[in-house]
Amino acid sequence: MLKIYHAPGSSSARILWLLEELGADHEVVVVKYPRDDGSEADPRNPHPHGFTPALEHDSALVSETAAIALYLTDLHPDAEVGVPVGHALRGAYLTWLFYQVGLTEPLIYMKGHGQLAQDPSMNSLNESMMRHIKHTLQNGPYLLGQRFTAADILFMSLFELARPLLGDCPVIDAYLARADRPARRRALALDR
């Protein structure tokens, strides 16, 4: 049985969405998200820093968003929300999963905290990153063209939260409109 540790209103909601897309049986354990100073972390949460999401499956613990997404989509290949090993799109799928958590999310966080304005190099990287994402989305409705994947869930969730920081962008707006999927609506009902 899959057990997801979830804090309402946190980024773990995107893993709830993924689980719904996969049609995977799972248990949701609602935990408190720790304060910025680390206090009030929920002792039931197995994440090493008390953050969410964290996933337990049998004796495995997976605690980072892209790792959880990859683990779950590899576990449920028939759902076709991931890309299996050996498929021509596997490299692109892995790249977008880790581009989101390794580059896009940190840069958007920095922008939201005013740090890009103080660092011309990082600001330039952010602009280049956004051009790359927009160009990709202009060539297909999703990051992998016609194929919706867990990478889209990660990007759509982030862009929805950060929409005010992204400026005028019809390409991003059209992309976010495609997020209105039945599985996402079910996940929103679970984000309590």
Side-chain angles (χ1 to χ4, degrees), residues 108 111 158-168 172-173 176:
I108 288 178
K111 184 172 186 170
L158 173 63
F159 287 166
E160 184 176 51
L161 290 173
R163 186 62 195 93
L165 298 173
L166 304 177
D168 182 40
I172 297 293
D173 290 336
L176 289 175

Side-chain angles (χ1 to χ4, degrees), residues 22 24 30 46-47 54 59 63 91 120 154 163 172:
L22 295 170
V30 176
H47 189 288
S59 61
S63 63
L154 300 189
R163 186 62 195 93
I172 297 293

Side-chain angles (χ1 to χ4, degrees), residues 64-93:
E64 299 306 318
T65 302
I68 293 170
L70 182 58
Y71 184 91
L72 288 172
T73 57
D74 281 355
L75 193 63
H76 296 276
D78 292 341
E80 297 185 356
V81 182
V83 179
V85 173
H87 190 284
L89 292 175
R90 177 70 173 198
Y93 173 62

Side-chain angles (χ1 to χ4, degrees), residues 8-139:
S10 75
S11 61
S12 57
R14 55 192 165 183
I15 299 300
L16 295 179
W17 177 7
L18 175 57
L19 286 161
E20 290 298 317
E21 290 283 352
L22 295 170
D25 289 333
H26 61 279
E27 174 187 351
V28 178
V29 179
V30 176
V31 295
K32 271 175 69 174
Y33 201 81
R35 294 179 180 253
D36 288 342
D37 65 4
S39 66
E40 296 189 28
D42 196 317
R44 297 171 303 148
N45 186 350
H47 189 288
H49 306 294
F51 300 144
T52 58
L55 175 76
E56 287 181 339
H57 178 232
D58 298 332
S59 61
L61 171 65
V62 187
S63 63
E64 299 306 318
T65 302
I68 293 170
L70 182 58
Y71 184 91
L72 288 172
T73 57
D74 281 355
L75 193 63
H76 296 276
D78 292 341
E80 297 185 356
V81 182
V83 179
V85 173
H87 190 284
L89 292 175
R90 177 70 173 198
Y93 173 62
L94 295 176
T95 298
W96 282 113
L97 277 178
F98 291 94
Y99 194 85
Q100 194 278 344
V101 296
L103 186 66
T104 309
E105 193 162 322
L107 284 172
I108 288 178
Y109 176 86
M110 290 175 70
K111 184 172 186 170
H113 285 83
Q115 296 168 334
L116 293 183
Q118 303 166 17
D119 189 333
S121 174
M122 295 305 281
N123 189 54
S124 176
L125 178 59
N126 181 64
E127 290 172 3
S128 174
M129 172 197 70
M130 289 307 298
R131 280 192 304 273
H132 175 58
I133 292 168
K134 290 173 190 176
H135 174 76
T136 300
L137 292 174
Q138 286 170 340
N139 292 323

Side-chain angles (χ1 to χ4, degrees), residues 146-163:
Q146 296 300 313
R147 187 167 180 168
F148 174 83
T149 68
D152 293 297
I153 292 172
L154 300 189
F155 274 91
M156 288 172 166
S157 298
L158 173 63
F159 287 166
E160 184 176 51
L161 290 173
R163 186 62 195 93

